[in-house]
Every structure is written in structure tokens, then in C-alpha cells.
Amino acid sequence: RLHFALDATDVFRGAPPFELLASREERRDGDVLRTTRLDRQEDGRYGVERKEGEDTEVRVLEDLAYTLADRLSQIHWGARGPGVGERLHVREFEIMKLHHDVYGYEVRRVRQRAARGLRIEVRDVRIHSHAQGALGTLVMDADGRMLRGPLAGVAELRIEDEEQEKNDRWASDMFAFGRVPATEAIGVPGSVRRLEIAVYGRGHERLASGPRQAVRTTADGDTLLLLGEDAGPGEPPSEADVAAASAPATTYPSENEDVRALARRAVGDAEAPDERVARLVGFVSSHVRDLPLPSEYSVPRLLQEPKGDSTEHARLFVTLARALGIPAREVRGLVYLGDEETAWGGHAWAEVVLDGRWRPVDPTWNLVTPTATHVAIERGSEAWAAMLARTRNLTFEIRAVEHGR
């Protein structure tokens, strides 16, 4: 197993010309630890100390002429949304080598990808350097963040949740998040009203019936999944279910005054429960900025930074619903990613109690009635790693699909 760890910090002056003041880098390759410290001196030169094991090297560098503008230019370029064929050349200072290199970036493709229950725009960007030549392709989101990219030609950098990344039993890449392959394309997900799927692989026994989802066993012993209105409303909630879905909790601090104020703002003058739910779905969909995150945000943090993927949408919705006296719970499962990928992927949504029945809603995609491509696996705020481990060996065989309203 290859073990590599990197910890790096750059410090720049807080006023023009924003030059580099200090840099620290620590690399661990297996059992070998290498550290480099660089500090700007009063005369404009830089003192350097490098250590590898018991060996230490001290030297002085002339002015590097490296500024914050150099450091951020690639991020700013990516955030402005460059089109196919646009290029950028930027100078980077490599502290381990103590010299500059010029890197080139070129947008090769702009496309939509599924990532943690969202549909986001990404750019495939080819990278090369004057010193090293072609380095591969990185994937950037609309904010210029690197979601995936090459590392030294032997590994891949990815934004990942630490818990999932350390679980080496299954891939946790956000673009392969809980991926379950399908045997054929089903068309536009938003128009699917009924779907029949034969489910194969270890973990199929975890599927259970619920609202708009029925699990049956065929005469041949296959597990058949029926999705959509024809699957029925599922079992009505018990008193214990309603009590659990109404109570404040650490994950859902619905008694918080800031939460209550936001809930009242979300529904406005709506009084009927179904109208309140509809307004709340639309509010959360627009209020929370779509952004795949490497780790989950708590509700207090969402009040300050309303952004995230389907998990954050579902979590905030459930909290606001409970603050309004509407029983609600999270659902974690799978949703169809589109014909380009012909697969299902991890997604989170919610269920509320209306008219004595559980009703699914999707506050990420602003759906008061989700499409017949949502497959519920678990209910509650259980960690993604546990849920996705149960679906990693599944395959969906499409038996029947109907489109319409």
C-alpha cells in the first residue's frame, strides 16, 4: 500500500503587493519525513531550512517575486466559467524544489455530472507544465474548485469525506457516490411515472416497501421493486413514528429560535399543512446553494452558510418542518442519474406526515412529489458509509418503465 501525506501552508502579506511571507510543507512518503520551511527576511531574501530524517540543510534564496495573485489565479479563472478551448498560464512556486514552474490549463469539455445527489456543471481541464510536460486532466466545479485531479502521475486527488475514504471496501468518489448500474437507459427521469426493477446482488434484502415503493418477490424468487404512485402509499405512521419525527434532536434543533424564525419566513402566510410543505420544499431548494461537500454541515452551520448537497437540503428541510409542527424524517437512498450514466447514485430527501400518511418530498430538486426513480434504502440521519456499503453490490435490471404525468 502506498502511504503519502502532505501538510502545507502559505502565508502572504495582507496588503499590496501581497508577496509570500512564509511557506511550510511537510511530506511523508512511507517512513520518510521531509520538511521545508521558508521565511521572508528584512532584506527581501528568503531563509530556507530543509530536513530529511537526521539531515538538515540551510540556505538563502533571492526574492521570489511570488504573490497571492499567482497563487489564486487558477481558482479565479475557473470561477468565472471559462469555455471550451480557453487557456490559462500561471506561475507556481514549488517549495520542495525551490524554483518556479509555469503550468498551463485548457478547458477540454463542459458538462453536467451527478455528485452527491446534485446535478452540477463541471469542466474537464487538461494540465501541463513547462518542466514536466502533460500532467493529466482535472475536474473543476463552477466555483473553480478541483474535485478530482492527478497527483505526481501515480495517484489521484479527490474531495472526499475522511470516513468514507478510509473505508477501502468500496469507492467513495463523489462521482461514483453509491453508484448502482442499470441494464438500460430509462429516458428523462422527470417524466417517469412508473418503474419496475429486478434487483440483483448482495444487499437486495435491505430494500423495504414504503410510500411510492413496493418490494415483491416473483415466482422465480427474484426481488422486484415497483416505484411510483401505483406502488401505493405504504403503511401509515404509528404514534411512535410521529413522535420521533416531531421531536427536536441534536441533528434537528427545531426548538432553536433562529430555526423557528427561518421556518416562519419560509412558509409565509400559508396555513394548510400541504401548502406549508410545498412552500418549504421550494424555499429550501432555493435557499441552500447547491455545492457538493466533502463532509456534512450541521444545521447551526447551515443557518450561517446555507450551502451543500442533498444531505444538507434534506437535513435543513426536516428541521424546519419539525419547527412548524410537521412530522418529518430524512430518507437516504438512490436516484437515477440520467441516461448518460445509466446508473443510480446516492441521494437524500425527506418524508413528511400529511393526512395520516408518509409523503416523500425532495427539497434538493424542488419536488413536492418525487419522480418514480427515487429508491429509499434507509430512513434517518445514519452515516452514508453504512447505507452505501449495503448497496455497493447491487445491479438494477429494468423490467418496465412508463412515462407521463
Side-chain angles (χ1 to χ4, degrees):
R1 175 178 296 183
L2 174 65
H3 178 78
F4 173 82
L6 172 66
D7 186 9
T9 303
D10 290 332
V11 179
F12 294 87
R13 190 181 302 279
F18 305 104
E19 69 269 31
L20 180 69
L21 296 180
S23 185
R24 310 280 187 274
E25 183 168 297
E26 180 179 292
R27 293 177 182 240
R28 183 176 293 278
D29 296 311
D31 296 328
V32 179
L33 177 64
R34 300 180 179 91
T35 61
T36 303
R37 297 168 56 92
L38 180 148
D39 293 280
R40 184 178 175 88
Q41 302 173 344
E42 292 185 2
D43 61 4
R45 298 188 299 172
Y46 288 84
V48 180
E49 180 184 84
R50 308 180 72 170
K51 292 184 178 181
E52 181 174 339
E54 300 296 326
D55 298 329
T56 300
E57 174 192 1
V58 177
R59 58 186 295 189
V60 175
L61 293 180
E62 299 301 322
D63 187 3
L64 300 176
Y66 186 68
T67 70
L68 187 61
D70 296 314
R71 187 73 171 81
L72 298 180
S73 57
Q74 183 262 319
I75 297 174
H76 288 171
W77 176 74
R80 72 171 179 78
V84 174
E86 288 196 48
R87 299 179 180 181
L88 171 74
H89 287 87
V90 60
R91 194 177 53 151
E92 291 281 358
F93 176 70
E94 300 185 0
I95 186 172
M96 295 301 290
K97 299 178 181 178
L98 297 179
H99 68 69
H100 295 92
D101 192 2
V102 176
Y103 287 80
Y105 300 85
E106 180 183 3
V107 178
R108 305 294 292 175
R109 180 165 57 161
V110 180
R111 54 182 170 144
Q112 294 286 319
R113 290 292 307 272
R116 295 188 179 274
L118 301 175
R119 295 295 297 180
I120 63 171
E121 183 178 87
V122 300
R123 284 166 172 76
D124 296 340
V125 180
R126 187 171 62 186
I127 320 170
H128 71 273
S129 88
H130 287 189
Q132 304 170 67
L135 298 175
T137 299
L138 65 82
V139 180
M140 294 192 314
D141 69 6
D143 288 337
R145 295 188 311 161
M146 185 190 72
L147 303 180
R148 177 194 290 167
L151 175 63
V154 297
E156 183 178 71
L157 292 170
R158 300 192 303 219
I159 293 183
E160 297 295 331
D161 178 88
E162 183 176 0
E163 176 191 5
Q164 295 171 21
E165 183 58 30
K166 288 183 176 179
N167 183 341
D168 59 6
R169 293 180 301 161
W170 52 280
S172 60
D173 180 354
M174 68 169 59
F175 294 124
F177 191 56
R179 184 175 295 265
V180 174
T183 54
E184 61 184 83
I186 66 171
V188 179
S191 67
V192 177
R193 64 167 300 274
R194 183 178 184 277
L195 195 58
E196 284 188 19
I197 301 171
V199 184
Y200 298 103
R202 189 175 64 197
H204 67 87
E205 68 280 356
R206 299 290 306 185
L207 294 170
S209 295
R212 297 175 59 83
Q213 176 171 311
V215 179
R216 301 168 182 168
T217 301
T218 68
D220 297 329
D222 293 338
T223 297
L224 190 66
L225 184 62
L226 177 61
L227 302 171
E229 188 174 352
D230 292 350
E235 294 295 323
S238 66
E239 291 185 7
D241 289 337
V242 173
S246 302
T250 302
T251 305
Y252 312 112
S254 53
E255 80 290 356
N256 180 286
E257 285 303 320
D258 291 335
V259 168
R260 291 179 179 273
L262 187 63
R264 291 192 295 268
R265 171 185 156 196
V267 299
D269 59 358
E271 296 183 0
D274 57 346
E275 185 179 356
R276 284 188 151 202
V277 168
R279 289 195 183 184
L280 195 56
V281 168
F283 174 82
V284 172
S285 179
S286 60
H287 180 69
V288 179
R289 180 178 171 230
D290 291 349
L291 187 70
L293 298 174
S295 59
E296 298 178 6
Y297 276 16
S298 66
V299 169
R301 185 169 182 181
L302 283 170
L303 294 178
Q304 302 299 319
E305 302 176 63
K307 60 185 178 182
D309 48 53
S310 60
T311 304
E312 283 68 35
H313 286 78
R315 177 163 298 166
L316 182 61
F317 175 88
V318 167
T319 306
L320 296 179
R322 292 187 185 187
L324 295 168
I326 301 169
R329 64 187 182 186
E330 276 190 71
V331 181
R332 303 211 174 185
L334 306 167
V335 72
Y336 188 62
L337 302 179
D339 288 351
E340 181 181 348
E341 304 192 46
T342 318
W344 268 254
H347 190 60
W349 60 98
E351 290 175 346
V352 297
V353 175
L354 289 176
D355 301 324
R357 293 285 186 180
W358 287 113
R359 289 260 302 272
V361 295
D362 191 332
T364 303
W365 293 351
N366 193 17
L367 296 173
V368 176
T369 302
T371 68
T373 67
H374 287 60
V375 179
I377 305 293
E378 297 287 345
R379 290 174 172 85
S381 59
E382 183 178 347
W384 277 113
M387 192 282 288
L388 297 178
R390 299 184 184 114
T391 63
R392 64 191 178 97
N393 294 311
L394 296 181
T395 298
F396 287 171
E397 179 185 276
I398 309 302
R399 293 284 181 90
V401 58
E402 294 181 12
H403 292 263
R405 292 177 179 257

